[in-house]
Structure formats: C-alpha cells, structure tokens
C-alpha cells in the first residue's frame, strides 16, 4: 500500500467577516485561530476545501 502525500495548511488571515460556510470549512480542516496549522491528506476532498478558502491559507507540501 502506497503512502499518500500530505499537505500542511496554515491559517494566515482572520475568519472574522467570512461567510458561515467558509468558517465551517476552516473548522473542518482543523483551523480555528490565526497561526493554526494542520496536516491533511492530499486528496480531492481536501483540495476542494483548500480552494474554497485559499485566500485565508498558506499551503505547503508536508
């Protein structure tokens, strides 16, 4: 079984003033406050979440 690659996401902008669905997406990624980081599997579901709030995130390969 091949190991899947991971992506590290970091919240760099505030969620204040964002739409409720964008806040929910950030929470689903495990991000609640500015500076929070989370490692997520690199799959289509995660890429969709990242695309939805890309203006709030910094993304790096883990």
């Amino acid at each position: 079984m091949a190991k899947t690659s991971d992506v590290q996401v970091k919240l760099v902008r505030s969620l204040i003033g964002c739409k409720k669905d964008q806040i929910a997406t950030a929470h689903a990624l495990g991000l609640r406050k500015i500076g929070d980081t989370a490692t997520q599997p690199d799959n289509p579901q995660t890429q969709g979440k990242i695309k939805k709030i890309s203006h709030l995130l910094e993304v790096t390969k883990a």
Side-chain angles (χ1 to χ4, degrees), residues 15-62:
L15 296 173
I16 295 173
C18 291
K19 296 177 182 177
K20 288 183 182 181
D21 61 330
Q22 291 175 334
I23 295 171
T25 302
H27 289 183
L29 286 170
L31 307 170
R32 302 209 178 261
K33 298 189 291 186
I34 295 176
D36 281 356
T37 59
T39 304
Q40 298 288 330
D42 191 10
N43 57 33
Q45 293 84 6
T46 304
Q47 289 301 322
K49 292 174 188 174
I50 290 170
K51 186 176 180 182
K52 186 173 186 90
I53 58 170
S54 62
H55 60 287
L56 304 173
L57 301 176
E58 184 178 278
V59 181
T60 56
K61 288 281 185 185

Side-chain angles (χ1 to χ4, degrees), residues 2-21:
K3 183 181 181 219
T4 60
S5 61
D6 290 335
V7 225
Q8 188 168 16
V9 291
K10 180 178 181 180
L11 189 64
V12 294
R13 300 209 40 204
S14 175
L15 296 173
I16 295 173
C18 291
K19 296 177 182 177
K20 288 183 182 181
D21 61 330

